[in-house]
Amino acid sequence: MHLKEFTKKYKTIINAKLDEILPSKKCFPKEIHSAMHYAVFSGNPKRVRPLLSIASAFVSGGNLKDILGPASA
C-alpha cells in the first residue's frame, strides 16, 4: 500500500475512533465538549502520531484492533 492510500484510509478510521471517544457536543457542559471537538477536528489534522503507531504495529505483527485505542490517545 502506498503512503497516500495508507494515510487516507487510516485517517478516516482514526477520526471515527476519536469521534467515538470524545463526549458528544450535546452533552453538558456543551461549551467544553464543543471546544474539545474543535481542538481535535479543526483545520486539516495530519494525525502523524496515530499513523506511525498503526504502521509500527503492523510492522511488528500487531493488529488494528489492539492499537487503535492507544494510537488515538
Side-chain angles (χ1 to χ4, degrees):
M1 181 181 298
H2 292 284
L3 181 60
K4 284 185 181 182
E5 295 168 351
F6 179 86
T7 302
K8 184 176 180 180
K9 177 180 180 178
Y10 290 103
K11 274 177 69 172
T12 303
I13 293 170
I14 293 163
N15 285 337
K17 182 66 173 178
L18 287 169
D19 196 39
E20 175 188 323
I21 293 170
L22 289 172
S24 170
K25 292 189 274 185
K26 297 176 184 178
C27 292
F28 182 80
K30 293 180 184 179
E31 295 82 7
I32 292 175
H33 295 143
S34 290
M36 290 168 64
H37 277 263
Y38 178 80
V40 171
F41 294 110
S42 66
N44 184 16
K46 306 238 183 309
R47 306 283 185 238
V48 173
R49 281 176 276 180
L51 290 169
L52 287 174
S53 298
I54 292 169
S56 298
F58 289 165
V59 168
S60 62
N63 62 49
L64 183 63
K65 179 184 156 209
D66 292 338
I67 194 63
L68 190 55
S72 300

